[in-house]
């Protein structure tokens, strides 16, 4: 099967390409490299010993995208490409709406034109907004709380409208919880530009000495140790979720949504302790004010993905930290 992967040079995309090559898929990546390096794809090919095709194309460049579809025939598309930082999206909302929404509409129009109607879309648990209870199920009310989250929710709604208008589409909405970790080879991993926004990349950079200390955002939440709890899912498990979703699309399910998470949460303090165990030394940290907008507890009910896709997260927090540490230690400055 030939799969077009948008945003395939990024963190989750590169790990998914690797697993797909290993399972025998043929892959074409389109990515404008605005938040990634081609080196990730070079390493994916080196690790697997299998080639993929790469086009440096921006989804906003409709003509260039048309040319990619004209040059080959694809069975399905996995759509990772997008801007993803909630804080940044508050400062530059129009850039987020243009990139994520217009980019997706361009993609869908070109797919429709070329008769490619199978899509896996990277959604996020952010579409649940402030869920009232945990674990979070797919049928919980939706509602985003920042421009980034609204782009994800709007795209889900656009895809639902598209499906209503033409039910020959098959679309899997994958709502990721907190993707973390790195490939066990230590050769590909997350390479954030600038200071990381997310907990685990920040912890990893403190561990390797690139940043002096971690700020723990609040320890007065209603949780056992007072720090927030999240559902951290290993990126290799997440990548495999995309393969299971592609298989599901072969059965013509229509429009389907799945949580990809682990069914459990870890507190910030538990994450620090697990990383200290992996790297063998203390992670300097200090408790500071809460970060506005943080929910105390969030984790998935991922049983639907287990039932319907045969997918479940296999890797533990210790695996996550060991793999991230291997990547960070071997590549202290990422791909550069
Ligand atoms: P990433 O930034 O590493 O990867 C996204 C890729 O898309 C990058 O390589 C970037 O260069 C590319 N891209 C962005 N805009 C583009 C455009 N207009 N044209 C072509 N390429 C473009 O991010 P990631 O962590 O791998 O996330 C992948 C997807 O998963 C994103 O849609 C993100 O919103 C979603 N997601 C991520 C997380 C997370 O915490 N990492 C959580 C939930 C959902
Ligand atoms: N967090 C923290 N210090 C940091 C980054 C994050 O204490 O430098 C906390 C944050 O308050 C949250 C958890 O770690 O409770 C996970 O944050 P992240 O941004 O990785 O994920 P999200 O909150 O978007 O689920």
């Amino acid at each position: 099967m030939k799969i077009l992967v948008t945003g395939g040079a990024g963190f989750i995309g590169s790990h998914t390409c690797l697993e797909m090559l290993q399972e025998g898929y043929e892959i074409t990546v389109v990515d404008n490299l605005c938040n990634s390096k081609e080196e990730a794809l070079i390493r994916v090919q080196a690790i697997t010993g299998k080639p993929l095709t790469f086009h440096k194309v921006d989804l906003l460049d409709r003509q260039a995208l048309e040319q990619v579809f004209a040059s080959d025939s694809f069975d399905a598309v996995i759509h990772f490409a997008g801007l993803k930082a909630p804080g940044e999206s508050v400062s530059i909302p129009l850039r987020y709406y243009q990139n994520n929404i217009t980019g997706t509409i361009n993609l869908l129009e070109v797919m429709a034109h070329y008769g490619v109607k199978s899509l896996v879309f990277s959604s996020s648990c952010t579409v649940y907004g402030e869920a009232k209870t945990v674990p979070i199920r797919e049928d919980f009310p939706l509602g985003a709380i920042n421009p980034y989250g609204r782009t994800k929710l709007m795209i889900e709604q656009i895809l639902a409208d598209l499906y209503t208008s033409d039910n020959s589409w098959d679309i899997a909405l994958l709502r990721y919880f907190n993707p973390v970790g790195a490939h066990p080879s230590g050769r590909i991993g997350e390479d954030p530009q600038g200071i990381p926004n997310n907990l685990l990349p920040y912890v990893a950079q403190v561990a390797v000495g690139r940043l002096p200390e971690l700020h723990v955002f609040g320890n007065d939440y209603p949780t056992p140790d007072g720090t927030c709890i999240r559902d951290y899912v290993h990126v290799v498990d997440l990548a495999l979720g995309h393969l299971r979703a592609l298989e599901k699309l072969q059965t013509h399910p229509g429009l389907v949504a799945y949580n990809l998470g682990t069914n459990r949460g870890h507190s910030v303090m538990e994450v620090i302790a697990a990383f200290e165990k992996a790297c063998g030394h203390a992670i300097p940290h200090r408790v500071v004010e809460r970060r506005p907008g943080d929910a105390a507890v969030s984790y998935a009910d991922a049983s639907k993905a287990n039932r319907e896709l045969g997918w479940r997260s296999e890797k533990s927090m210790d695996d996550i930290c060991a793999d991230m540490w291997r990547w960070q230690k071997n590549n202290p400055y990422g791909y550069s």
Side-chain angles (χ1 to χ4, degrees):
M1 271 182 84
K2 281 195 183 171
I3 311 296
L4 181 81
V5 183
T6 78
F11 171 45
I12 306 168
S14 55
H15 288 79
T16 305
C17 287
L18 190 155
E19 298 302 327
M20 286 201 293
L21 286 175
Q22 274 174 344
E23 287 204 18
Y25 288 90
E26 285 181 63
I27 296 174
T28 296
V29 169
V30 299
D31 197 305
N32 65 1
L33 303 180
C34 71
N35 196 39
S36 54
K37 304 255 167 39
E38 193 179 347
E39 177 65 18
L41 294 175
I42 293 168
R43 293 191 189 182
V44 163
Q45 294 172 88
I47 296 165
T48 58
K50 292 181 181 169
L52 57 72
T53 304
F54 172 57
H55 298 283
K56 184 168 183 253
V57 162
D58 193 318
L59 294 186
L60 298 178
D61 182 348
R62 170 74 181 257
Q63 236 184 340
L65 193 59
E66 296 254 4
Q67 278 167 14
V68 173
F69 278 81
S71 70
D72 213 334
S73 59
F74 302 108
D75 298 296
V77 173
I78 306 184
H79 179 31
F80 292 107
L83 300 175
K84 63 162 183 178
E88 182 185 62
S89 78
V90 175
S91 325
I92 48 169
L94 297 183
R95 180 133 190 266
Y96 270 70
Y97 288 117
Q98 187 188 43
N99 192 74
N100 293 4
I101 307 279
T102 308
T104 300
I105 292 174
N106 280 347
L107 175 69
L108 296 172
E109 285 180 344
V110 176
M111 286 176 70
H113 181 76
Y114 284 88
V116 183
K117 295 187 176 178
S118 242
L119 176 73
V120 178
F121 171 61
S122 292
S123 190
S124 165
C125 63
T126 189
V127 298
Y128 297 113
E130 285 161 358
K132 293 207 168 40
T133 58
V134 286
I136 296 172
R137 283 196 320 268
E138 289 84 351
D139 59 1
F140 275 26
L142 302 179
I145 57 169
N146 54 55
Y148 163 68
R150 279 188 275 280
T151 68
K152 290 292 171 195
L153 191 49
M154 284 178 196
I155 293 169
E156 286 204 1
Q157 289 162 341
I158 289 167
L159 291 170
D161 288 339
L162 179 64
Y163 177 68
T164 303
S165 74
D166 174 0
N167 60 21
S168 66
W169 281 82
D170 290 295
I171 300 170
L173 311 173
L174 300 185
R175 297 177 181 154
Y176 314 148
F177 278 66
N178 291 54
V180 288
H183 190 259
S185 64
R187 295 178 69 190
I188 61 167
E190 188 167 7
D191 181 16
Q193 313 293 302
I195 308 284
N197 298 307
N198 297 113
L199 176 65
L200 265 150
Y202 204 111
V203 168
Q205 291 197 12
V206 173
V208 83
R210 205 171 141 178
L211 291 169
E213 67 173 359
L214 171 74
H215 292 166
V216 175
F217 297 144
N219 65 353
D220 56 353
Y221 286 94
T223 61
D225 67 20
T227 63
C228 292
I229 291 176
R230 294 287 180 278
D231 185 341
Y232 298 96
V233 54
H234 195 295
V235 65
V236 172
D237 283 337
L238 198 63
L240 292 170
H242 294 74
L243 276 79
R244 304 292 85 80
L246 282 175
E247 290 157 11
K248 180 73 178 178
L249 293 184
Q250 299 303 298
T251 67
H252 299 297
L255 179 79
V256 284
Y258 297 104
N259 285 342
L260 296 186
T262 69
N263 301 303
R264 67 156 295 184
H266 287 89
S267 73
V268 176
M269 298 313 293
E270 286 172 338
V271 168
I272 296 171
F275 213 97
E276 287 178 335
K277 191 166 120 193
C279 71
H281 60 260
I283 308 282
H285 60 274
R286 182 160 54 95
V287 177
V288 299
E289 289 293 286
R290 288 181 177 200
R291 182 173 69 178
D294 275 345
V297 182
S298 167
Y299 60 92
D301 177 336
S303 57
K304 186 178 173 203
N306 188 224
R307 269 193 320 275
E308 297 187 15
L309 302 180
W311 176 87
R312 60 183 293 186
S313 155
E314 303 282 350
K315 292 179 183 273
S316 67
M317 180 53 72
D318 285 344
D319 297 327
I320 286 170
C321 293
D323 291 337
M324 276 192 91
W325 176 236
R326 195 175 302 108
W327 154 251
Q328 191 72 61
K329 191 170 41 132
N330 295 347
N331 307 269
Y333 289 89
Y335 292 111
S336 34

